[in-house]
Amino acid sequence: MSDKKSRLTTAALTILLTLAASALHAAGTSGRPVTKVGSHRHITIDAAEAARREAVVKRTNDAFTLFGAEIALHKGDPATALGTYLVMLERTRDPEVAERAMDMAVGLGAYEQAEQIYQSWLKIEPVPGPALKRITWMRDMVRGHYANARDGFDAALEGADEGQRSRIFLLTAQTAAQNPAVAKLMEEPVHNRAKTYLDKPDAVIADAILSALNDKTAAAVQALQRLAALDSDILPPTYLTMRLIGQRKPDIINRFFAETDTAKLSPVWQELQVEALIFANKKEEAGKLLRELIDKRPNADLYIQAALLSAGRQAPLDEILSYLTKAYQSGTQEQQSRAAVIAVMRNADNKRYTEAHGWLDKIHSPDYAFDKAVLAASLYAEEQKWPQAAAEVRRARRMTARQGRFFDAAHLAGIELIVIGHSSNAKQALAELNRLYENAAKQPGNAEMTGNILYHRAMIYSDRLGQPAKAVADLRRYLELSPGNPNAQNALGYTLLTLPTPQIEEAFPLISAAFEQLPEEPAINDSLGWAYFLKGDPEAALPYLQYAFKEHPEAEVAAHLGEVLWTLGRKDEARDTFKQGRAAGGNTRVLNDTLRRLGISDKPAAETGKSKPAPAPAKKKKAV
């Protein structure tokens, strides 16, 4: 099944037909007479008639311009499409154009443009009318002003046509599925309004989703049963939203199938059941049903689900890729691209980078353009090809649509931080992080991103600029933004140990608290072992450092373990550990400093830049 977002929507066609119809109406209502002069026909045209005809031409041109914007969106050029709508909004001052532009911007994740549309229409319509109320509601949803969105929900629906109502309900459901607080906040207004739209699938699915997310199982199942009666074929927006229930609350989907006669439903419902069984960890049942479906009616979606099920049970990579290959061979462009995205990730997880790049080249659907750019940046980062990764980040940043099927702007921001951290120019990297920090600090509710920026800036200060005090200041702020975060505790604790006068008394409780939460994390074991060593207890330090080096053998961990072994008189083991750490790469500066301090005469030559750098120093590693 295709679930493309970029097809010409009903709302878009309505705008175009309205403009065209008004142009034709204007052309057909001229009441001006035609007079004869001699043997030639002449039309008497006064100023009013000329103005009317000019308006006809203008409206016709506007309609074709907007039609061109829709075609551009359909062909995967959202920048042109959205740019055209922004221009046409200023030209036409038409509320339907404003709403379509807002809908397009929100759907693309182009929130800067969405704000521009809002501000433009606010000037055009300072006293809120129906269009501005709906646009304001969408703005509140995408900017995280959820209380305002709840209070404005009824006003947004008042007078809305079918397309506008559908967008409001579906955006509510999709946002709630990503944010439990929204689900709780919007449940009552959605449920109350859905009662008045019992025959509308968009309202019913929103009611089902919010009931499910708030553990109102009976109400959710009843809503799904109403939906099955209305929408047995499952339209693409409904399908995408239904999958969110299957992923978040699979037991509800499974209960629906247990209590409902599904014999007359389309096979797509059974595909949803397979996914719900997978997320409920009923993989044997899912596999049995999936095999039955493939035997009856093989298609690309089923092959993709078979690949995901195989991955979930850790099947050999070749088995997973065989299903994805079948999906690619039999699918639509959208299905081919979806299969290719999954294949890239599976190959990358297995360090098969050549194969991953081959599948990356098979992603052609415009809907996956942003996903492809983010994947490419991630893949180059995995390979530690930092200039190429930076180029892909810049390419993704230039895209108007920063909301893919798999990745969004937050994923891109995380990769960008890692890439910046590995820039060859530390001062330039610092300047870039300062810029990102200033921007993030201005945005409300952006604590997670702000903390991630502070973390990466601290790494630049401590590892590359030799300014651990500034790193400590950033990490203190990071921990304030994310109290109790074990990554923040560990990063701050370890950095306190690297100060000219190690702050062991403050560092040790922080690292111990991180260890209690993540006792199997190699980075934290390394920090805790090093803290014990600095406290004067190498025997206590040894098992933590041995575990850390076994799980993550790199230069800095080798430096710590090697020094402990050296102190304990196990010098041959220490030399072997130093050698392994040198070969593994990573933060070789710490290893070199350790060798010099211990006066080990057989240390290798000074670092030449040939060592492979690790994606981030091990003991401070944090997923972003």
Side-chain angles (χ1 to χ4, degrees):
M1 121 176 317
S2 171
D3 54 1
K4 289 176 67 64
K5 294 185 293 185
S6 59
R7 64 184 60 189
L8 294 181
T9 64
T10 302
L13 287 173
T14 300
I15 296 170
L16 302 177
L17 292 174
T18 300
L19 289 171
S22 64
L24 291 173
H25 175 75
T29 55
S30 172
R32 296 300 169 190
V34 177
T35 59
K36 286 187 177 180
V37 179
S39 60
H40 299 283
R41 236 170 134 76
H42 294 277
I43 300 176
T44 303
I45 302 177
D46 59 16
E49 176 66 12
R52 275 192 294 272
R53 295 192 178 195
E54 183 178 350
V56 169
V57 172
K58 179 179 180 297
R59 295 284 286 181
T60 302
N61 287 338
D62 289 347
F64 278 106
T65 300
L66 292 171
F67 185 72
E70 294 293 336
I71 292 296
L73 182 64
H74 183 70
K75 290 183 175 181
D77 186 4
T80 296
L82 193 51
T84 301
Y85 262 94
L86 286 167
V87 171
M88 292 303 295
L89 173 59
E90 294 293 334
R91 182 188 301 176
T92 65
R93 305 169 74 85
D94 188 314
E96 290 183 346
V97 173
E99 284 198 72
R100 173 56 183 153
M102 190 70 166
D103 180 45
M104 187 183 294
V106 170
L108 294 168
Y111 299 136
E112 293 176 8
Q113 287 83 349
E115 181 65 17
Q116 185 179 347
I117 293 162
Y118 171 77
Q119 295 296 339
S120 295
W121 191 248
L122 199 61
K123 295 175 183 176
I124 294 170
E125 189 182 24
V127 178
L132 182 56
K133 288 177 182 178
R134 286 188 291 271
I135 289 174
T136 301
W137 180 86
M138 294 184 77
R139 175 182 183 259
D140 286 336
M141 286 296 284
V142 300
R143 288 175 65 88
H145 301 159
Y146 300 127
N148 292 344
R150 175 200 57 200
D151 295 342
F153 186 69
D154 286 339
L157 284 170
E158 200 65 38
D161 62 27
E162 185 172 350
Q164 293 160 348
R165 185 201 64 243
S166 178
R167 289 196 296 275
I168 290 168
F169 275 114
L170 286 176
L171 180 59
T172 301
Q174 290 163 354
T175 306
Q178 303 297 331
N179 190 326
V182 176
K184 191 171 186 63
L185 200 64
M186 296 297 294
E187 181 195 6
E188 184 177 351
V190 166
H191 183 67
N192 290 338
R193 289 307 296 255
K195 292 177 183 177
T196 65
Y197 298 112
L198 294 177
D199 60 339
K200 304 300 182 184
D202 47 74
V204 175
I205 189 60
D207 191 21
I209 285 241
L210 271 74
S211 295
L213 294 173
N214 286 289
D215 296 317
K216 305 290 180 62
T217 302
V221 171
Q222 289 173 5
L224 289 173
Q225 289 170 339
R226 288 199 304 273
L227 179 67
L230 293 171
D231 192 16
S232 61
D233 288 333
I234 304 188
L235 298 174
T238 307
Y239 175 76
L240 290 174
T241 311
M242 281 278 289
R243 290 183 65 192
L244 296 174
I245 298 182
Q247 294 169 11
R248 302 293 192 281
K249 301 288 182 178
D251 290 343
I252 288 176
I253 294 289
N254 293 327
R255 178 171 165 179
F256 161 77
F257 278 97
E259 298 180 1
T260 308
D261 180 7
T262 60
K264 295 182 180 179
L265 296 181
S266 70
V268 177
W269 283 86
Q270 290 180 303
E271 294 173 21
L272 287 168
Q273 185 182 15
V274 171
E275 188 166 82
L277 287 169
I278 293 172
F279 277 94
N281 205 30
K282 298 179 179 179
K283 295 179 182 177
E284 289 188 10
E285 291 181 53
K288 182 176 181 293
L289 177 57
L290 189 54
R291 287 190 294 273
E292 291 174 0
L293 293 174
I294 289 176
D295 288 341
K296 290 178 183 177
R297 189 182 61 92
N299 64 50
D301 280 326
L302 292 176
Y303 286 131
I304 290 172
Q305 284 196 333
L308 294 173
L309 184 58
S310 295
R313 59 181 175 82
Q314 298 183 327
L317 180 60
D318 288 343
E319 177 184 320
I320 299 168
L321 293 177
S322 70
Y323 285 122
L324 295 174
T325 299
K326 289 177 181 178
Y328 190 86
Q329 291 170 342
S330 62
T332 63
Q333 187 183 62
E334 186 279 328
Q335 291 166 327
Q336 289 177 332
S337 296
R338 183 158 29 111
V341 168
I342 297 168
V344 172
M345 291 190 286
R346 300 310 305 172
N347 276 295
D349 287 344
N350 287 271
K351 312 297 183 187
R352 292 172 52 167
Y353 298 124
T354 300
E355 292 85 350
H357 281 288
W359 278 99
L360 188 70
D361 291 338
K362 294 181 179 181
I363 302 172
H364 298 301
S365 171
D367 288 348
Y368 289 82
F370 183 77
D371 292 310
K372 184 175 182 178
V374 172
L375 269 178
S378 301
L379 196 54
Y380 283 126
E382 284 278 338
E383 297 175 280
Q384 300 179 18
K385 296 179 178 178
W386 302 112
Q388 294 94 321
E392 291 296 337
V393 167
R394 288 192 296 271
R395 186 166 74 87
R397 277 285 177 204
R398 289 195 296 268
M399 291 182 175
T400 301
R402 297 181 195 167
Q403 178 68 56
R405 297 295 178 85
F406 285 79
F407 304 105
D408 58 22
H411 292 105
L412 176 62
I415 296 167
E416 183 178 22
L417 289 176
I418 294 172
V419 172
I420 290 172
H422 288 83
S423 168
S424 59
N425 187 323
K427 291 184 178 180
Q428 182 179 336
L430 182 62
E432 188 66 15
L433 289 170
N434 288 340
R435 181 187 64 81
L436 292 175
Y437 177 76
E438 290 174 5
N439 291 338
K442 295 174 184 176
Q443 300 174 21
N446 209 19
E448 183 178 359
M449 183 61 183
T450 304
N452 289 336
I453 295 169
L454 287 167
Y455 167 81
H456 284 276
R457 190 168 73 176
M459 297 305 98
I460 295 291
Y461 280 135
S462 65
D463 293 344
R464 302 179 61 186
L465 295 177
Q467 300 177 25
K470 289 186 177 180
V472 165
D474 274 355
L475 292 171
R476 288 193 194 282
R477 176 61 179 150
Y478 174 29
L479 189 56
E480 289 175 4
L481 292 170
S482 185
N485 182 326
N487 295 293
Q489 291 170 329
N490 181 57
L492 176 57
Y494 179 82
T495 306
L496 286 166
L497 297 178
T498 69
L499 292 172
T501 302
Q503 303 297 307
I504 302 172
E505 295 305 316
E506 181 182 358
F508 195 83
L510 287 167
I511 298 169
S512 297
F515 181 79
E516 287 179 8
Q517 297 180 68
L518 299 174
E520 297 183 359
E521 169 56 47
I524 296 174
N525 277 268
D526 174 53
S527 297
L528 189 57
W530 191 238
Y532 271 118
F533 178 72
L534 293 178
K535 283 169 68 76
D537 194 347
E539 292 284 359
L542 187 60
Y544 296 105
L545 293 171
Q546 286 174 324
Y547 173 83
F549 190 66
K550 177 186 174 184
E551 297 297 320
H552 188 69
E554 65 94 43
E556 191 161 359
V557 183
H560 296 155
L561 175 57
E563 184 162 357
V564 169
L565 290 168
W566 189 271
T567 302
L568 292 172
R570 297 160 63 172
K571 297 189 176 182
D572 288 342
E573 291 179 66
R575 286 192 177 92
D576 185 56
T577 300
F578 292 141
K579 182 178 179 180
Q580 291 180 53
R582 171 75 63 184
N587 194 346
T588 53
R589 178 182 59 80
V590 173
L591 179 58
N592 288 337
D593 290 345
T594 301
L595 292 170
R596 279 193 294 269
R597 182 160 41 77
L598 295 177
I600 298 178
S601 59
D602 62 345
K603 64 181 183 295
E607 189 175 355
T608 62
K610 295 181 180 179
S611 298
K612 287 176 65 177
K619 70 258 130 231
K620 305 165 203 164
K621 186 176 181 182
K622 177 188 182 297
V624 292

